[in-house]
Amino acid sequence: MFALVAGVIFYGVSMLIWRGGMHPGEAPNFAWAFQAGPALAFGMFVVMIAANILITIVMFILTLIFGAALGGMGAFSPETLESGAAGAIGGGAIVLIIILYIALFVFLLWVQGRFMVAGPVMAERLTRNPVTGLGESWRLTGPSQWVIVGFYLLFVIGIIIYAMIAGMIFGGILGSIMGGSAVGAILTMIVMAALVYLPIIMISFSMPVGVYRAIAPRASGDVFA
């Protein structure tokens, strides 16, 4: 329930920010934003469910093809690489499994990249229909899809590195100061939210409209001038 409410707020606020940036001086349309935002969230949920169903089908086909050699579906699980069973299926099979998981990760980034500008499209057109945003995003991102995937990949890697470093630095400092107390744990979470998660959210707000500004068939100065 908390994740659902957070998602509605996140996408609703995103719509307000994108619309306000594209049309400065326009009065905020809260009613539209908090209808269009959840609609987009639901649309993306359906897209990701479809992507995961496709992944499941591909994994099932690979199991049928390589099952006898790799020992069934269990050979494709991450636990296989962490256990002694990895040696039993051979080095070549391990390389195949690693390549498979890298391919699946890139595929998910590709799906997210193709639908990245659906929100800005809906904001510009002031529509509540996620199909319009998703369809137009698919069309606009086509020519630059692999550049967007590469940009998205660098963003994900950068976020992971930043979160790890910030967590070790600030978590260690506050932990040593507070001595592991409950107050220290709460203070650590607050600081981490302000210094790690808030910047990530702000960047997440700006990325879709930044990509939209670069690929939309209009003068870049017209969007977030």
Side-chain angles (χ1 to χ4, degrees), residues 48-101:
M48 296 310 296
I49 287 294
N52 280 278
I53 290 175
L54 179 60
I55 289 174
T56 301
I57 294 174
V58 171
M59 294 290 285
F60 177 73
I61 294 174
L62 290 176
T63 299
L64 294 179
I65 296 175
F66 299 104
L70 302 183
M73 192 67 184
F76 290 100
S77 66
E79 290 78 8
T80 300
L81 301 178
E82 301 174 359
S83 66
I89 61 177
I94 295 175
V95 172
L96 175 64
I97 295 171
I98 293 174
I99 293 175
L100 171 64
Y101 277 96

Side-chain angles (χ1 to χ4, degrees), residues 14-28 32 123 224:
S14 296
M15 287 293 178
L16 286 173
I17 292 175
W18 295 332
R19 181 67 184 180
M22 294 177 186
H23 300 274
E26 181 181 276
W32 163 79
F224 278 70

Side-chain angles (χ1 to χ4, degrees), residues 170-171 174 182-198:
F170 296 108
L174 292 174
V183 175
I186 296 175
L187 183 58
T188 300
M189 288 190 295
I190 294 175
V191 172
M192 290 294 293
L195 298 178
V196 178
Y197 301 114
L198 184 59

Side-chain angles (χ1 to χ4, degrees), residues 15-29 32 120-126 209 212 218 222-225:
M15 287 293 178
L16 286 173
I17 292 175
W18 295 332
R19 181 67 184 180
M22 294 177 186
H23 300 274
E26 181 181 276
N29 191 335
W32 163 79
V121 168
M122 293 175 65
E124 183 179 12
R125 300 187 180 186
L126 205 64
V209 80
Y212 180 68
R218 57 187 297 180
D222 292 342
V223 182
F224 278 70

Side-chain angles (χ1 to χ4, degrees), residues 98-177:
I98 293 174
I99 293 175
L100 171 64
Y101 277 96
I102 292 175
L104 293 178
F105 176 71
V106 173
F107 170 71
L108 290 176
L109 288 182
W110 176 77
V111 171
Q112 293 181 0
R114 292 305 302 269
F115 296 110
M116 178 182 286
V117 301
V121 168
M122 293 175 65
E124 183 179 12
R125 300 187 180 186
L126 205 64
T127 178
R128 298 175 178 84
N129 186 357
V131 177
T132 299
L134 294 171
E136 187 66 7
S137 178
W138 183 270
R139 185 185 69 82
L140 288 174
T141 57
S144 307
Q145 53 187 296
W146 293 114
V147 176
I148 295 173
V149 169
F151 173 71
Y152 216 148
L153 179 60
L154 291 176
F155 170 74
V156 171
I157 293 174
I159 288 299
I160 292 174
I161 295 175
Y162 173 71
M164 289 178 58
I165 294 176
M168 289 188 293
I169 294 175
F170 296 108
I173 292 175
L174 292 174
S176 61
I177 294 176

